[in-house]
C-alpha cells in the first residue's frame, strides 16, 4: 500500500503537552470536524510507536493519532507531587478528545491503554463509535488484603533512591526494553526505542518518567476493577473487539474471568491470536 505521511504533534492539556504521531487523512476533503478519527493508546511504559506496525491496515481516508500518554515517550511528565493514577490518565485522554473535536472516534487501546479506552467508551457512548482492545481483559478477583500487601511491597521498593541510568548506545536501550517486557520481539523493541530515549550528558536516557510505577498507580487500577468488574463491561454499548494473544498472561486472566462469571457486553466480540 501507499506510504502515509506522518506528523509529530503536541496537544495542549490543562497541565502540559502530550506528544503524538498523526497520520492525516489521505483525502483532504475529509478534513472537517465531521470526520471519524482513530485515537490509539499504548501500554504501560510503552509509547505511541507501539502502533507503527498497524498503521497500514487502517483505511487511507481516516485520520490516525497515536499519543504518548503522560510521562511516556515525548510527552510531558506530571509534577513530582502528582501520581499516575488511572483516573488522571482517563481525564487527560478526555482532554485530548475535546481538543480533537472529532464527531466520531474509534478508540484503540493496548494493555494499560485498553483499560483507559474501555472506561472512556463507557463514559462517551455517543462519541466513541468503535472500540478495539488489544491484549487486556481485566478483572482482578483478589481480596482487599492482597491489594494492601501489594501496596506495601511497592512502597518499600519506592523508598530505594532511583537514579536515571545513562545508556551509551541505542542497542542497550533496546535490550532494556526487551528485559522490561514479558514477551516482545527485537523488532518491536527497536520500534519502541524510537521514542523511548533522548540524548543527554553524552549518552541516552529513557524518556519515560521514573516515577510512574508508584503504588497508587497499581492500587487505583486493582481496586477499580475489583469494584467495577461487570459494570465496566456492561457499559460498552458500541461494537467492540477484544483480542488476546494466547501466549500472554492476559489469556490466564481471561480464564479466571470465566471462573468469576464475568461476561462481555452483547456488542463485544472476543478473538484469540
Amino acid at each position: 500500500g501507499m506510504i502515509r505521511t506522518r506528523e509529530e504533534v503536541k496537544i495542549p492539556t490543562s497541565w502540559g503537552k502530550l506528544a503524538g504521531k498523526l497520520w492525516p487523512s489521505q483525502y483532504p476533503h475529509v478534513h472537517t470536524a465531521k470526520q471519524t478519527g482513530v485515537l490509539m493508546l499504548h501500554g504501560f511504559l510503552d509509547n505511541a510507536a507501539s502502533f507503527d506496525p498497524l498503521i497500514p491496515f487502517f483505511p487511507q481516508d481516516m485520520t490516525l493519532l497515536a499519543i504518548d500518554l503522560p510521562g511516556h515517550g515525548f510527552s510531558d511528565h506530571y509534577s513530582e507531587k502528582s501520581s499516575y493514577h488511572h483516573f488522571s490518565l482517563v481525564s487527560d485522554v478526555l482532554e485530548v478528545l475535546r481538543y480533537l473535536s472529532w464527531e466520531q472516534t474509534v478508540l484503540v487501546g493496548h494493555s494499560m491503554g485498553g483499560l483507559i479506552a474501555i472506561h472512556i467508551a463507557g463514559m462517551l457512548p455517543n462519541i466513541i463509535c468503535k472500540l478495539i482492545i488489544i491484549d487486556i481483559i481485566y478483572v482482578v478477583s483478589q481480596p482487599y488484603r492482597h491489594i494492601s500487601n501489594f501496596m506495601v511491597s511497592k512502597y518499600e521498593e519506592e523508598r530505594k533512591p532511583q537514579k536515571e541510568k545513562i545508556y551509551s548506545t541505542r542497542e542497550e536501550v533496546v535490550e532494556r526494553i526487551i528485559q522490561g517486557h514479558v514477551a516482545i520481539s527485537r523488532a518491536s523493541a527497536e520500534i519502541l526505542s524510537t521514542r523511548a530515549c533522548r540524548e543527554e550528558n553524552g549518552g541516552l536516557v529513557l524518556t519515560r518518567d521514573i516515577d510512574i510505577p508508584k503504588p497508587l498507580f497499581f492500587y487505583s487500577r486493582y481496586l477499580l476493577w475489583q469494584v467495577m468488574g461487570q459494570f465496566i463491561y456492561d457499559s460498552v454499548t458500541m461494537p467492540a473487539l477484544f483480542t488476546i494473544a494466547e501466549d500472554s498472561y492476559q489469556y490466564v486472566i481471561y480464564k479466571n474471568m470465566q471462573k468469576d462469571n464475568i461476561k462481555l457486553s452483547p456488542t463485544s466480540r472476543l478473538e484469540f491470536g
Side-chain angles (χ1 to χ4, degrees):
M2 194 163 130
I3 300 289
R4 294 187 64 153
T5 57
R6 173 176 75 71
E7 300 164 16
E8 276 291 323
V9 293
K10 291 273 188 187
I11 295 172
T13 70
S14 53
W15 60 271
K17 288 196 166 68
L18 295 184
K21 300 174 80 162
L22 177 75
W23 289 265
S25 164
Q26 297 300 97
Y27 304 101
H29 66 270
V30 185
H31 267 313
T32 65
K34 298 235 175 298
Q35 65 180 318
T36 297
V38 180
L39 179 62
M40 300 180 232
L41 309 173
H42 63 77
F44 181 58
L45 299 182
D46 287 346
N47 57 55
S50 286
F51 297 101
D52 286 8
L54 294 183
I55 300 306
F57 298 99
F58 285 96
Q60 300 277 340
D61 61 346
M62 288 180 118
T63 296
L64 316 177
L65 173 63
I67 61 167
D68 290 328
L69 289 164
H72 294 74
F74 299 143
S75 286
D76 288 346
H77 295 183
Y78 285 167
S79 71
E80 275 180 42
K81 293 267 183 294
S82 307
S83 173
Y84 290 87
H85 189 287
H86 175 79
F87 280 117
S88 304
L89 301 176
V90 166
S91 123
D92 289 329
V93 174
L94 290 174
E95 283 197 56
V96 169
L97 285 167
R98 192 180 309 132
Y99 176 81
L100 295 169
S101 69
W102 292 334
E103 194 166 273
Q104 296 277 278
T105 297
V106 176
L107 214 44
V108 180
H110 169 238
S111 199
M112 176 183 85
L115 297 186
I116 297 167
I118 295 169
H119 226 120
I120 287 174
M123 293 161 86
L124 301 175
N126 299 330
I127 292 173
I128 309 304
C129 58
K130 288 194 172 89
L131 183 64
I132 300 169
I133 303 294
I134 303 165
D135 220 33
I136 188 81
I137 198 135
Y138 228 83
V139 168
V140 179
S141 51
Q142 287 185 329
Y144 180 77
R145 182 168 40 83
H146 286 296
I147 298 173
S148 300
N149 293 346
F150 180 77
M151 284 281 286
V152 171
S153 69
K154 277 275 158 213
Y155 175 70
E156 289 302 327
E157 216 174 277
E158 193 188 300
R159 287 166 60 187
K160 299 174 191 146
Q162 297 220 22
K163 242 175 76 145
E164 278 292 6
K165 184 169 182 236
I166 296 183
Y167 298 87
S168 46
T169 63
R170 184 173 288 272
E171 188 46 46
E172 284 179 22
V173 173
V174 169
E175 282 302 328
R176 172 72 192 82
I177 292 169
I178 291 170
Q179 284 162 20
H181 282 74
V182 177
I184 189 172
S185 68
R186 180 165 293 276
S188 295
E190 281 167 2
I191 291 169
L192 285 177
S193 78
T194 59
R195 302 177 81 79
C197 58
R198 63 168 193 276
E199 290 182 18
E200 198 175 285
N201 300 336
L204 296 167
V205 294
L206 299 183
T207 51
R208 58 100 191 92
D209 191 342
I210 208 161
D211 282 338
I212 292 171
K214 280 194 167 168
L216 189 63
F217 170 82
F218 293 101
Y219 179 68
S220 66
R221 287 190 346 191
Y222 281 124
L223 212 55
L224 182 77
W225 289 87
Q226 190 170 5
V227 174
M228 301 180 77
Q230 184 60 59
F231 171 76
I232 285 277
Y233 293 108
D234 290 342
S235 71
V236 174
T237 53
M238 65 292 299
L241 172 64
F242 288 76
T243 63
I244 301 178
E246 284 174 353
D247 59 355
S248 81
Y249 67 97
Q250 287 301 325
Y251 189 68
V252 179
I253 291 175
Y254 166 68
K255 291 289 180 210
N256 288 344
M257 180 171 160
Q258 289 178 302
K259 192 180 73 211
D260 292 341
N261 223 2
I262 298 277
K263 305 243 179 319
L264 294 180
S265 76
T267 58
S268 302
R269 196 170 97 236
L270 178 61
E271 290 193 0
F272 300 100

